[in-house]
Amino acid sequence: MNKEDEKRSFWKTELFHLLLCLLVAFVAARLLSLYVVQFAVVHGSSMETTVSEGDLLIVGKMNYHLAGPKRFDVIVLSKDGKKDLIKRVIGMPGEDVRIEKGIIYINGEELHEDYGMDPMDPDAEPVEIKLAKDEYFVLGDNRLASLDSRFSTVGPVQRKEIQGEALIRVYPFNKIGVLS
C-alpha cells in the first residue's frame, strides 16, 4: 500500500469513527430526552411565584416511569398541541374534586395546601368533577391567571399527557434551585 492509499484509508477510518460517535451521541441524547430528563421553558404567569415567565426548568421523567405523579407535584404537560403547560397536581385518579367559593374539596374534604399561591375567586362558578382512573386535576399557583383543569379548554389531564415533574430551575442563575 502506498502512502496516498494509507492517507485515504486513514481518513475513511477516522471519518467512519467520527460519524459513528456522532450517531451514538445523537441516539443517547434522544433516549435521555424521551425517558430520563428534558428542559422546559415557562410561558406565562400561571405558576407565579413558584416559577416565572422565561424560567428554564429541568423536568425529570424517570420517576414517573416508576411511579405516577403525587399530589402537589409541579408537572409539565402537553395538551392538544399547546406549548408545555406547567401546573400543580391537585386531584388524583378516581377522586371527586369540587371547588366552591374558592375552596377545594377532595372527596368531600377540604384540601389544605401548604405552599404560597393566590386564592381563587370565591364568586367564580363552582367546579365539580369525578376523575377517571388515569386523570389528574391540575391548577396553576397563580389561580386568578391560570388556565387549568377548572376550564374546559384544559379539563382533566390524562396520565399520557404528563411529560414529567419540574424538578430544578436552572435559569435565571440567581434563582437556581429545587422546586417544591
Side-chain angles (χ1 to χ4, degrees):
M1 191 183 273
N2 67 29
K3 215 170 183 118
E4 194 62 37
D5 289 339
E6 283 180 23
K7 279 185 182 179
R8 256 186 249 128
S9 176
F10 171 78
W11 283 109
K12 283 181 183 178
T13 303
E14 290 302 312
L15 187 58
F16 172 76
H17 284 112
L18 176 64
L19 290 175
L20 183 62
C21 286
L22 289 172
L23 178 65
V24 168
F26 175 78
V27 169
R30 184 70 179 134
L31 288 173
L32 279 172
S33 70
L34 281 173
Y35 299 108
V36 181
V37 70
Q38 75 178 47
F39 289 100
V41 177
V42 177
H43 301 282
S45 62
S46 71
M47 284 297 292
E48 291 283 351
T49 60
T50 304
V51 293
S52 303
E53 171 84 29
D55 286 1
L56 179 62
L57 310 176
I58 293 178
V59 179
K61 294 182 167 193
M62 185 61 74
N63 51 345
Y64 286 174
H65 291 297
L66 305 173
K70 298 176 295 305
R71 190 180 324 276
F72 304 128
D73 282 357
V74 176
I75 62 168
V76 175
L77 63 111
S78 180
K79 191 84 168 167
D80 301 327
K82 292 183 174 87
K83 290 182 181 176
D84 295 338
L85 299 175
I86 301 167
K87 304 294 175 194
R88 189 176 297 275
V89 174
I90 300 298
M92 303 296 289
E95 292 182 334
D96 291 308
V97 178
R98 182 170 51 97
I99 302 174
E100 193 171 352
K101 296 184 179 171
I103 299 172
I104 303 168
Y105 298 91
I106 304 291
N107 296 329
E109 294 188 29
E110 185 177 342
L111 178 67
H112 297 284
E113 302 170 282
D114 62 350
Y115 55 89
M117 74 295 195
D118 290 335
M120 285 183 275
D121 181 359
D123 298 324
E125 189 75 24
V127 173
E128 193 161 342
I129 189 164
K130 169 75 172 165
L131 297 170
K133 65 177 179 156
D134 69 336
E135 292 180 330
Y136 295 83
F137 190 90
V138 298
L139 294 173
D141 288 355
N142 183 0
R143 305 281 163 83
L144 296 176
S146 179
L147 181 62
D148 48 41
S149 290
R150 294 174 289 171
F151 305 99
S152 61
T153 53
V154 174
V157 174
Q158 294 183 347
R159 174 63 188 94
K160 67 182 179 184
E161 296 172 317
I162 298 174
Q163 297 174 15
E165 181 180 8
L167 299 172
I168 301 169
R169 177 184 9 237
V170 294
Y171 183 83
F173 300 125
N174 64 336
K175 291 184 175 181
I176 289 175
V178 176
L179 299 177
S180 56

